[in-house]
DNA sequence: AAGAGGCCCAACCGCTCGTGG
DNA sequence: TCCACGAGCGGTTGGGCCTCT
């Protein structure tokens, strides 16, 4: 398996120029993302395929929001990181408009520091959502605070998603029988030629038929992670096909979130965890401790 | 004003996974 | 079943910019 042979020799490295960006964007607009290996050859870019993909995914892709993270986004990241570990692509799938790279950077630069401060002031106990579970305030106070944080995060997430497809979020409560619509969707423009073509045509509204088409059509090239991120210019999460049940998530057995780091990235075997997670994330009435117990 | 140090982001590297032959 | 290859992910780093002294 080794490294791809594309990054060896004769490839340009370093910052991208405007011309290169233009060439890449034009190519993707015409052909859609994917088949990155063909990009350098067809555009004349002296970049390796990986570099092209990265540039597109993290910078050129439409719908990327740049700049400061909002409080809600920050909290959502903290909570998701506590649950999923350093699975930035998975976390990014819950944050439309943000790339995994952005989230990763933001975590490493800002949040890690913040959490260290928080935990440093506490007893360093296991935290959920980055908040010490043994804070100096009373448990009730602390729980309320956490609930408020979660509610804000949920609101931000809901807004982000509903901006793009309100109809799909009518019932946000996850169904116990399986996966809900609030989950990250694995079919997205970033990995779908069809979607990117549509997206670049500036479509902002999709008919139910088109949405159904996307779901039914599936996307053989879609995988997970950053590719699941929808843009803010019209692409939105859609109904989830069974085949899309590939979200990366820790297994139920793992009780310590950070143990998830570096573990096998195989597809999740059961919707159980996701269901629980979403229950926790979206159910105002679920006490944090209960959720933690369940996890 | 200028140098040092820190911060931040874009990009790269190396590994793993998925898929097709 | 095995192997090769393309794609994706997470960790790390280079270097520009900003702040402090």
């Amino acid at each position: 398996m080794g490294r791809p042979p594309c990054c060896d020799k004769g490839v340009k490295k370093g910052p991208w120029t405007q011309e290169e960006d233009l060439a890449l964007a034009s190519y993707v607009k015409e052909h859609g993302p994917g088949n990155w290996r063909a990009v350098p050859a067809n555009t004349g870019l002296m970049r390796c395929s990986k570099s092209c993909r990265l540039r597109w995914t993290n910078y050129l892709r439409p719908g990327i929001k740049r700049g400061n993270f909002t409080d809600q986004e920050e909290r959502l990241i903290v909570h998701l990181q506590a649950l999923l570990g350093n699975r930035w692509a998975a976390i990014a799938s819950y944050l439309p408009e943000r790339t995994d790279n952005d989230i990763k950077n933001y975590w490493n630069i800002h949040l890690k520091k913040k959490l260290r401060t928080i935990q440093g002031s506490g007893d360093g106990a296991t935290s959920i959502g980055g908040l010490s579970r043994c804070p100096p305030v009373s448990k009730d106070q602390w729980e309320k605070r956490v609930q408020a944080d979660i509610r804000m995060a949920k609101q931000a997430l809901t807004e982000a998603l509903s901006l793009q497809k309100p109809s799909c979020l009518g019932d946000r409560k996850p169904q116990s029988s399986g996966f809900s619509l609030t989950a990250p969707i694995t079919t997205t423009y970033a990995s779908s030629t069809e979607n990117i073509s549509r997206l670049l045509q500036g479509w902002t509204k999709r008919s139910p038929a088109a949405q159904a088409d996307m779901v039914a059509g599936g996307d053989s090239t879609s995988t997970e992670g950053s590719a699941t991120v929808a843009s803010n210019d019209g692409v939105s999460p859609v109904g989830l096909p069974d085949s899309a049940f590939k979200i990366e998530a820790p297994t139920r057995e793992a009780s310590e979130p950070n143990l998830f780091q570096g573990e096998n990235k195989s597809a999740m075997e059961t919707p159980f965890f996701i269901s629980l997670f979403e229950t926790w994330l979206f159910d105002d009435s679920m006490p944090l401790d209960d959720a933690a117990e369940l996890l």
Side-chain angles (χ1 to χ4, degrees):
Chain A
M1 300 235 187
R3 286 177 56 194
C6 67
C7 299
D8 295 339
K9 52 202 174 273
V11 296
K12 186 180 170 190
K13 293 181 181 178
W16 282 65
T17 65
Q18 213 170 348
E19 289 75 24
E20 289 176 313
D21 281 345
L22 199 61
L24 178 58
S26 303
Y27 180 86
V28 174
K29 182 177 180 179
E30 194 173 339
H31 299 91
N35 195 14
W36 295 108
R37 197 159 172 76
V39 175
N42 294 336
T43 59
L45 287 170
M46 302 299 286
R47 300 275 182 173
C48 76
S49 57
K50 282 173 74 171
S51 186
C52 293
R53 181 178 58 80
L54 256 311
R55 183 62 178 174
W56 172 261
T57 303
N58 292 331
Y59 196 85
L60 296 175
R61 181 164 66 85
I64 291 179
K65 180 171 153 192
R66 314 204 75 78
N68 294 340
F69 281 65
T70 64
D71 268 5
Q72 288 92 338
E73 286 176 315
E74 186 175 304
R75 289 193 169 101
L76 186 54
I77 292 168
V78 169
H79 288 302
L80 289 169
Q81 203 279 342
L83 281 163
L84 302 174
N86 293 356
R87 299 181 157 207
W88 307 117
I91 292 171
S93 69
Y94 279 89
L95 281 157
E97 309 174 348
R98 298 292 186 182
T99 69
D100 55 349
N101 207 33
D102 269 350
I103 293 171
K104 182 171 57 181
N105 282 333
Y106 190 69
W107 174 265
N108 287 331
I109 293 162
H110 298 98
L111 300 181
K112 241 183 186 174
K113 209 184 300 171
K114 275 190 189 179
L115 294 181
R116 218 177 293 137
T117 306
I118 291 171
Q119 289 181 345
S121 65
D123 62 359
T126 304
S127 66
I128 290 198
L131 301 169
S132 169
R133 301 195 64 186
C134 304
V137 297
S138 75
K139 188 185 172 190
D140 279 355
Q141 283 178 308
W142 172 76
E143 205 166 81
K144 277 178 191 161
R145 221 184 287 165
V146 173
Q147 288 288 348
D149 282 353
I150 294 170
R151 214 165 294 131
M152 288 177 73
K154 286 157 58 177
Q155 190 184 343
L157 173 61
T158 303
E159 280 169 8
L161 296 178
S162 64
L163 269 178
Q164 297 155 18
K165 191 168 186 297
S167 62
C168 274
L169 295 172
D171 178 12
R172 293 184 296 124
K173 284 271 186 100
Q175 304 302 308
S176 59
S177 59
F179 212 81
S180 77
L181 294 175
T182 55
I185 308 309
T186 60
T187 54
T188 67
Y189 82 93
S191 58
S192 159
T193 301
E194 182 184 29
N195 287 350
I196 188 63
S197 302
R198 290 180 186 170
L199 193 147
L200 288 170
Q201 283 166 15
W203 59 287
T204 54
K205 288 182 195 169
R206 264 206 320 270
S207 68
Q211 290 163 9
D213 185 41
M214 287 184 65
V215 175
D219 182 358
S220 62
T221 63
S222 69
T223 54
E224 76 287 309
S226 60
T228 68
V229 180
S231 79
N232 66 352
D233 60 349
V235 177
S236 65
V238 295
L240 193 71
D242 290 346
S243 61
F245 212 92
K246 293 168 72 178
I247 176 170
E248 290 179 9
T251 58
R252 186 189 176 188
E253 295 76 48
S255 56
E256 170 57 49
N258 284 330
L259 289 176
F260 306 148
Q261 297 174 30
E263 74 179 16
N264 191 319
K265 294 197 291 183
S266 63
M268 190 160 159
E269 294 171 6
T270 164
F272 180 80
F273 175 86
I274 294 299
S275 190
L276 272 183
F277 167 53
E278 290 195 334
T279 300
W280 170 70
L281 196 58
F282 289 107
D283 188 348
D284 282 343
S285 64
M286 182 178 234
L288 188 71
D289 278 348
D290 288 357
E293 296 282 329
L294 287 169
L295 295 173

